[in-house]
Amino acid sequence: MQAARPTSPTPLPPPPKWRQLLDAVLYSSVWLSVAALGLMWATFLFWGVHISGRLGGLIFAATLFLYNLDSVLPYKHGQLPGATRRKQWIRAHRPQLLALALVAGTAAGILYLTDARLLPLTLFGGHLALISVLYSMPLWRRRGRWWALRDLPLLKVFLIAYVWAAVTVWIPALYLGRDWASPVVLVLFAHRFLLILALALVFDIRDYSKDRLTGTRTFPGVLGIRTTKWLGLAALLGAALLVPSGVSVAHAVALVAPLGLAAAVIWYAEESRPDYYFALLTDGVMVAQFVAVWLAVG
């Protein structure tokens, strides 16, 4: 009697169109770039000024370039494999992400070179670009793997918070001719720094197992996930206390209210959460910050 031949598994049907579109927006960093644009725009609205279209396009394109460049770095695809939907999507779309990064980088360069108000900020913006590029770029090889700035113990959340706060607060201040070291600017910078720091800890929780296996020391790996959540809540409390003087009550509420959403996201963050929890909801806190400020001053 002949043994039955094994049947090949039935291929899974493709996800619905809306989900394919949502995956593309989230995992290609378009949503994150919208969040960066929104935070910078919120800073302009703080001074009652609408953001320059050229500068807004620059921050959107530069964010799209840097994060997609990070996604397609060859050495990262030689690290431990990941089974999450996000990682599978990125692996399947590496050529498209590389093309998107090149287009976004070209657009960012053109927008920068054609804005006379940005050229004097070259030195300041240059150090932020350098940190951003070196953040994930392989710099040295140790214990059989490449290491970047993000792999230095406990450093990556501070690098993320510093660059995002500097780009979305200090660059608008300098663009408008304001003193970056004035008290009102420094308070707004500290508020933004603590917000981004708290949200960055959520992504450390997401990467808890991967970071432990690759030897990257992060706050969840050193302090534990629960203590890291309390650290994130403490950062949000500090942000809530750092509201620049002289703002209207509505604007102060707009700066503080989204911190409640951020606190909920931090408290319920778990490594096992679906990718949408991090890519859509956590990054969405920054979009909520812009919407709140826009409604308050509109």
Side-chain angles (χ1 to χ4, degrees), residues 17 23 76 112 125 148 285:
K17 293 293 184 181
D23 287 350
K76 295 189 72 174
Y112 175 76
V285 171

Side-chain angles (χ1 to χ4, degrees), residues 7-296:
T7 58
S8 57
T10 304
L12 294 175
K17 293 293 184 181
W18 68 265
R19 186 162 184 175
Q20 294 181 43
L21 178 60
L22 182 59
D23 287 350
V25 170
L26 295 179
Y27 304 147
S28 66
S29 298
V30 170
W31 179 240
L32 184 65
S33 300
V34 169
L37 172 60
L39 284 183
M40 179 179 273
W41 196 343
T43 302
F44 276 88
L45 292 176
F46 175 77
W47 284 299
V49 179
H50 281 289
I51 190 173
S52 156
R54 185 176 282 108
L55 181 60
L58 170 62
I59 187 61
F60 179 87
T63 305
L64 202 58
F65 165 70
L66 288 168
Y67 277 86
N68 280 296
L69 179 66
D70 175 77
S71 295
V72 300
L73 285 174
Y75 90 100
K76 295 189 72 174
H77 292 268
Q79 292 179 347
L80 294 172
T84 67
R85 184 180 183 86
R86 176 180 64 92
K87 292 180 180 178
Q88 292 173 350
W89 191 95
I90 290 173
R91 285 196 180 94
H93 295 84
R94 284 185 69 194
Q96 295 91 330
L97 293 177
L98 178 59
L100 181 59
L102 293 175
V103 171
T106 301
I110 293 172
L111 289 167
Y112 175 76
L113 293 173
T114 54
D115 191 334
R117 298 174 71 178
L118 279 172
L119 294 178
L121 306 182
T122 299
L123 184 61
F124 181 81
H127 94 280
L128 298 176
L130 183 63
I131 293 173
S132 300
V133 170
L134 296 182
Y135 174 79
S136 290
M137 195 67 65
L139 299 177
W140 68 92
R141 193 172 179 85
R142 182 187 175 198
R143 296 177 183 173
R145 64 171 285 238
W146 285 100
W147 292 65
L149 280 182
R150 71 186 300 279
D151 296 309
L152 293 175
L154 307 181
L155 184 61
K156 69 176 186 177
V157 291
F158 295 104
L159 290 175
I160 293 171
Y162 172 73
V163 171
W164 274 73
V167 167
T168 62
V169 175
W170 276 343
I171 285 184
L174 295 171
Y175 190 84
L176 294 173
R178 299 177 183 272
D179 181 7
W180 69 271
S182 64
V184 66
V185 175
L186 288 179
V187 169
L188 188 59
F189 172 85
H191 173 93
R192 188 69 48 78
F193 178 92
L194 291 174
L195 169 62
I196 301 300
L197 179 68
L199 295 177
L201 291 171
V202 175
F203 291 95
D204 272 359
I205 293 173
R206 180 196 68 183
D207 297 335
Y208 174 75
S209 293
K210 179 183 76 70
D211 286 335
R212 282 176 63 88
L213 290 171
T214 57
T216 303
R217 292 171 62 82
T218 62
F219 281 100
V222 173
L223 302 177
I225 290 178
R226 188 171 183 84
T227 302
T228 299
K229 291 181 179 182
W230 283 110
L231 182 62
L233 295 178
L236 291 180
L237 177 59
L241 298 175
L242 289 169
V243 176
S245 60
V247 300
S248 66
V249 173
H251 200 148
V253 171
L255 288 174
V256 174
L259 302 181
L261 174 59
V265 168
I266 291 170
W267 189 251
Y268 292 105
E270 300 293 343
E271 187 181 13
S272 58
R273 294 286 184 193
D275 289 317
Y276 287 172
Y277 185 90
F278 303 98
L280 179 61
L281 186 57
T282 307
D283 288 340
V285 171
M286 296 182 282
V287 179
Q289 175 75 89
F290 161 70
V291 172
V293 171
W294 185 75
L295 292 174

